[in-house]
């Protein structure tokens, strides 16, 4: 699995929405400015996430986006699968997007065995990590950075 720019931007936008979770919407321009994401590209991504019922939108002058569910209920695996497709590094180990590979015998292929372990590790992490977990990590990293900066001064 390789996370595309689209996938990275989707995750970053969802972290902003997770940090601002509540009844109010976040303006798309605010997300774009905070995360340095081109606004037009962000609009396409958020529209796609809306079709997957991951986010909700409000139209108009006071419009914007918010998460459709609490951030602890949105797992990264759902987002990445929606945006990128398979979580597997090669298609012959994918459970949801399996395609036969070109090796002569999948059952004895050492590369396939290793890539299956890689897929399992990726799936385990992404299915056990929510948007809320990432938001918590951001807060923790910001606190560490702040403490380090205070120490320097």
């Amino acid at each position: 699995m390789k996370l595309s720019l689209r996938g990275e931007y989707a995750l970053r936008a969802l972290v902003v929405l997770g940090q601002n979770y509540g009844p109010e919407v976040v303006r798309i321009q605010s997300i774009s400015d905070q995360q340095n994401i081109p606004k037009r590209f962000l609009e396409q991504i958020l529209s796609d996430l809306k079709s997957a019922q991951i986010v909700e939108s409000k139209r108009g002058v006071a419009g914007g986006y918010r998460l459709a569910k609490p951030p602890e209920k949105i797992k990264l695996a759902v987002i990445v699968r929606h945006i990128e497709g398979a979580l597997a590094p090669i298609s012959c180990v994918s459970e949801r997007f399996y395609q036969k590979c070109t090796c002569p015998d999948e059952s004895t292929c050492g590369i396939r065995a290793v890539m299956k372990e890689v897929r399992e590790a990726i799936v385990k992490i992404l299915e056990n990590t929510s948007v809320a977990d990432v938001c918590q990590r951001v807060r923790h990293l910001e606190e560490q950075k702040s403490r380090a900066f205070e120490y320097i001064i």
Side-chain angles (χ1 to χ4, degrees):
M1 177 201 90
K2 179 171 179 1
L3 195 61
S4 67
L5 194 56
R6 180 181 182 85
E8 179 187 339
Y9 286 172
L11 292 172
R12 287 177 26 205
L14 290 170
V15 168
V16 171
L17 295 177
Q19 291 171 318
N20 294 283
Y21 180 69
E24 300 300 316
V25 294
V26 179
R27 295 179 51 106
I28 196 163
Q29 188 65 53
S30 176
I31 300 169
S32 174
D33 292 344
Q34 285 179 49
Q35 294 297 316
N36 196 28
I37 301 171
K39 186 179 173 191
R40 293 242 187 251
F41 195 22
L42 182 58
E43 287 170 345
Q44 294 170 5
I45 293 166
L46 290 172
S47 176
D48 188 18
L49 293 172
K50 182 180 175 187
S51 72
Q53 300 176 338
I54 295 169
V55 300
E56 300 172 334
S57 68
K58 179 180 174 187
R59 298 182 69 129
V61 176
Y65 286 86
R66 67 176 159 242
L67 296 178
K69 325 180 230 196
E72 50 277 341
K73 294 194 182 253
I74 302 172
K75 299 297 183 181
L76 298 189
V78 170
I79 300 158
V80 174
R81 278 188 182 114
H82 179 74
I83 297 291
E84 305 291 353
L87 298 178
I90 56 177
S91 59
C92 65
V93 298
S94 178
E95 289 185 0
R96 297 181 185 201
F97 301 94
Y98 172 84
Q99 290 181 349
K100 181 156 177 45
C101 63
T102 59
C103 68
D105 183 5
E106 283 184 357
S107 66
T108 61
C109 179
I111 294 168
R112 182 175 190 268
V114 170
M115 290 300 133
K116 191 169 187 176
E117 289 178 33
V118 170
R119 179 193 55 81
E120 289 167 0
I122 290 170
V123 168
K124 181 179 179 185
I125 292 168
L126 294 179
E127 286 185 346
N128 290 303
T129 305
S130 69
V131 171
D133 295 327
V134 179
C135 292
Q136 178 60 38
R137 285 184 186 208
V138 170
R139 282 190 293 277
H140 179 73
L141 291 168
E142 287 172 347
E143 288 169 7
Q144 282 183 324
K145 182 179 176 182
S146 177
R147 283 194 298 268
F149 183 73
E150 288 172 4
Y151 180 74
I152 292 171
I153 294 176

